[in-house]
Amino acid sequence: MTKAFIFDLDGVIVDTAKYHYLAWKKIASGLGIEFTHEHNELLKGVSRVRSLDIILELGKVEASQEDKDKWLIQKNEDYLSYLVDMDQNEILPGVLPVLQFLKEKNQPIALGSASKNARPILEKTGILHYFDAIVDGNDVSNAKPDPEVFLIAAKLLKTEPKDAIVFEDSVAGIQAANIGNMVSIGIGEKSILEEAQYIFKDFTQIDKSFIEQLIRK
Ligand code: BG6
Ligand code: MG
């Protein structure tokens, strides 16, 4: 029996959510916009372009397309500067054993991320080979909470949405999985991810018997 196991990237597999936050905070500060960790939750799982719009809306700042394009480039350059030395050590605790266990159980694995930087991150951290399919920000036209990214991933893994299991750290991503009629597993705080079907603080809290139960379901 096989399911489709779909992983978000930022904040699920690697702790890059903190780098996105720092890079956006720099842009926001430059524009005199206050940008807190709470505001940052609104950006998790959201595309780069939409993230900038949310920040500008928060600060009630209107901007030309030219300025927006400039800030989008600055944000990404700053974000990428944090990734220069990235290696296996940036993989979040408990993730590798779960990927390994899924492979042992012959379960197909996909990435379902809004990021356009997903592939280089998987390469740098040495885990690209675990993924049977990669769907990222370059492949979708509708951002989470639209389920498009996960529906494409399930299709590539030749699995029905109801047999897909999604690991997500963002509210938008959990909503996308739920709307897509998939099993949603929140990785993070209960108070934030309350819409998820299951919630774990991190992957160290997920044991083999839980994964086996998901496979059998
Ligand atoms: C998501 C992150 O995975 O990817 C968002 O949660 C980010 O914070 C989005 O904005 C787009 O990423 P990138 O790397 O294409 O700017
Ligand atoms: Mg994420």
Side-chain angles (χ1 to χ4, degrees):
M1 205 188 302
T2 57
K3 302 280 175 173
F5 285 84
I6 307 174
F7 290 74
D8 173 47
L9 177 70
D10 297 308
V12 168
I13 293 178
V14 279
D15 197 8
T16 39
K18 66 184 178 201
Y19 302 142
H20 280 295
Y21 171 70
L22 291 173
W24 281 128
K25 194 166 174 65
K26 198 166 170 182
I27 296 289
S29 302
L31 297 171
I33 300 172
E34 197 199 354
F35 184 63
T36 63
H37 279 285
E38 206 170 40
H39 294 143
N40 191 49
E41 289 302 322
L42 302 170
L43 270 50
K44 285 188 180 173
V46 173
S47 73
R48 200 181 309 165
V49 170
R50 179 72 194 123
S51 295
L52 177 61
D53 285 340
I54 292 174
I55 290 174
L56 296 177
E57 281 163 23
L58 282 172
K60 299 189 172 48
V61 171
E62 298 215 0
S64 66
Q65 193 55 49
E66 201 184 343
D67 277 339
K68 286 193 200 179
D69 291 344
K70 183 180 76 191
W71 296 329
L72 287 169
I73 291 170
Q74 278 174 6
K75 186 271 171 179
N76 198 48
E77 282 177 353
D78 193 35
Y79 173 66
L80 291 178
S81 73
Y82 291 108
L83 307 186
V84 171
D85 298 323
M86 180 171 245
D87 59 21
Q88 277 231 336
N89 295 320
E90 299 254 354
I91 299 173
L92 284 163
V95 171
L96 278 178
V98 169
L99 289 173
Q100 194 61 48
F101 187 63
L102 290 172
K103 275 284 155 226
E104 280 164 29
K105 295 281 168 186
N106 293 316
Q107 297 298 310
I109 302 174
L111 190 84
S113 166
S115 173
K116 295 189 171 180
N117 296 303
R119 263 178 197 273
I121 291 176
L122 293 179
E123 278 166 13
K124 275 171 176 287
T125 50
I127 55 172
L128 186 62
H129 64 281
Y130 283 105
F131 294 87
D132 303 295
I134 292 172
V135 188
D136 65 20
N138 300 296
D139 305 308
V140 292
S141 29
N142 302 301
K144 300 169 187 174
D146 190 290
E148 184 185 16
V149 64
F150 299 141
L151 291 174
I152 297 174
K155 199 169 180 183
L156 287 173
L157 298 182
K158 300 183 174 48
T159 311
E160 292 292 318
K162 68 170 178 47
D163 291 322
I165 294 132
V166 173
F167 296 99
E168 255 293 346
D169 71 316
S170 71
V171 175
I174 291 295
Q175 289 170 342
N178 290 341
I179 293 168
N181 196 25
M182 301 173 173
V183 176
S184 58
I185 303 186
I187 303 293
E189 299 298 327
K190 267 206 169 84
S191 56
I192 294 170
L193 302 173
E194 54 193 12
E195 291 173 62
Q197 276 170 266
Y198 303 92
I199 306 171
F200 296 94
K201 199 169 177 308
D202 58 43
F203 276 90
T204 65
Q205 308 295 310
I206 299 181
D207 58 22
K208 289 180 178 176
S209 64
F210 176 71
I211 302 277
E212 278 171 335
Q213 180 193 318
L214 290 172
I215 295 171
R216 277 196 306 270
K217 239 183 175 184

